Amino acid sequence: MMARARILALTEDSGSQGHPTLLKILKEALKIVVEGVDLNPARIKIEPLPENDRARLGLRGNSWKEDPPTVDTIRLIEAIAGRLLEPAGFVVFHFDTDLVWSKRDTAPKSNRRKFETHLRDRVRRRLLGEGAPPINPRARPPLTAEQADTALCRLLVLSPCYSMESWLYQATNELRPLCQNEHDSDDHAQLIAEWSEDRARLDEVHQPKVVMKKCVADHHNEALANSFPAEEVYCAGRSFYESVENLRSCTALVEALSHPVT
Ligand SMILES: [Zn+2]
């Protein structure tokens, strides 16, 4: 069976729960982009960078934001460019906005801007064959500007406000017992009740992982992702909605997902 899409799924969270969490959230997002989508992994492949790929080091923590880029980040940029050059190749990149929703566009050095200048622009230059010769000797010949722009449309972003936990804590039915198992906190019980009543609230919480540092923190991200109430959070119209719409704006992705099962 030919894969309709080969999605390289990248997350700046290099912990052991990082990739499975992203995978689950991304699948939930894709189900909203195309209702009834067939996510059979033979058709829609979603994969991390290989374990031993040094480009992984360019991804973790803040290293992708370094300017000038490190050797590892250059490898990451090459890996992204390489995937975009493949037929049916897509890249989905998760990074935390590190800003609440209402401040997301106000900081001149925001992570979103850094993504555009430090990642997307550099991938573009790589696709155009500009700059230093590629580290990878199997790199392909350069594209024209128009071809590069078409390829870059397949570099997609998941950028939660404030962070991935802002989405994961929306699984309030699972969050509540995880918190209660650790302590008896009226403040947290109140917060979780508010988050469950109004799905737009979590996007306005500064550093949610720190707010919950004494109980849930990021210890249960994968379990929370499995209970992520995607439709409800989408309907709140905040950063998850925005990321889903970013995926939907990629015509090539929608076409790949929409292909009827034969
Ligand atoms: Zn708690």
Side-chain angles (χ1 to χ4, degrees):
M1 197 188 287
M2 265 267 286
R4 298 282 308 165
R6 294 190 59 229
I7 304 173
L8 180 62
L10 304 174
T11 172
E12 64 178 1
D13 178 358
S14 57
S16 62
Q17 297 188 46
H19 181 71
T21 299
L22 172 63
L23 184 66
K24 185 68 195 166
I25 295 288
L26 176 57
K27 282 182 175 174
E28 291 305 312
L30 295 178
K31 287 183 202 165
I32 297 176
V33 170
V34 173
E35 208 180 318
V37 63
D38 173 15
L39 291 177
N40 179 336
R43 284 185 181 281
I44 308 293
K45 285 188 191 296
I46 307 176
E47 50 206 358
L49 282 166
E51 285 288 342
N52 57 356
D53 194 327
R54 280 195 58 190
R56 274 186 172 227
L57 302 175
L59 186 59
R60 66 181 180 187
N62 285 317
S63 76
W64 70 264
K65 299 171 198 162
E66 294 206 19
D67 189 25
T70 63
V71 173
D72 295 326
T73 306
I74 292 170
R75 286 181 193 275
L76 173 66
I77 287 160
E78 287 184 11
I80 293 172
R83 178 55 60 102
L84 297 178
L85 285 167
E86 289 178 18
F90 297 86
V91 178
V92 172
F93 196 114
H94 153 246
F95 61 90
D96 291 338
T97 306
D98 289 346
L99 292 168
V100 297
W101 171 255
S102 56
K103 304 242 168 74
R104 67 195 182 284
D105 293 324
T106 55
K109 288 186 178 167
S110 69
N111 290 342
R112 291 185 175 192
R113 292 201 191 177
K114 280 183 190 163
F115 182 84
E116 295 305 314
T117 53
H118 296 15
L119 254 294
R120 193 182 297 276
D121 286 355
R122 285 177 180 145
V123 171
R124 186 170 197 276
R125 290 207 289 275
R126 172 59 65 212
L127 291 170
L128 293 171
E130 295 174 5
I135 296 171
N136 179 353
R138 290 177 297 144
R140 298 174 199 211
L143 303 180
T144 66
E146 196 181 333
Q147 288 169 332
D149 288 338
T150 305
L152 278 173
C153 290
R154 289 182 277 109
L155 172 55
L156 302 157
V157 165
L158 297 184
S159 173
C161 295
Y162 180 94
S163 64
M164 187 53 102
E165 286 73 22
S166 314
W167 291 354
L168 301 174
Y169 290 176
Q170 296 275 10
T172 42
N173 287 342
E174 287 64 33
L175 185 69
R176 194 174 293 109
L178 290 171
C179 164
Q180 286 168 345
N181 285 346
E182 295 301 322
H183 60 180
D184 188 12
S185 164
D186 288 343
D187 288 351
H188 281 189
Q190 167 92 26
L191 267 181
I192 295 169
E194 287 171 6
W195 295 343
S196 133
E197 260 164 47
D198 178 357
R199 296 285 174 198
R201 279 194 184 223
L202 257 164
D203 269 59
E204 287 300 330
V205 176
H206 182 76
Q207 297 186 327
K209 189 166 76 181
V210 175
V211 172
M212 304 295 269
K213 68 171 189 273
K214 289 189 180 152
C215 51
V216 183
D218 59 356
H219 308 316
H220 305 280
N221 282 6
E222 194 178 345
L224 291 171
N226 284 328
S227 304
F228 179 60
E231 287 280 353
E232 273 183 64
V233 181
Y234 173 78
C235 291
R238 295 295 190 267
S239 59
F240 182 66
Y241 168 88
E242 185 190 41
S243 286
V244 169
E245 293 309 304
N246 173 256
L247 297 175
R248 200 198 301 280
S249 69
C250 177
T251 317
L253 180 67
V254 173
E255 274 174 18
L257 296 173
S258 307
H259 195 256
V261 179
T262 48

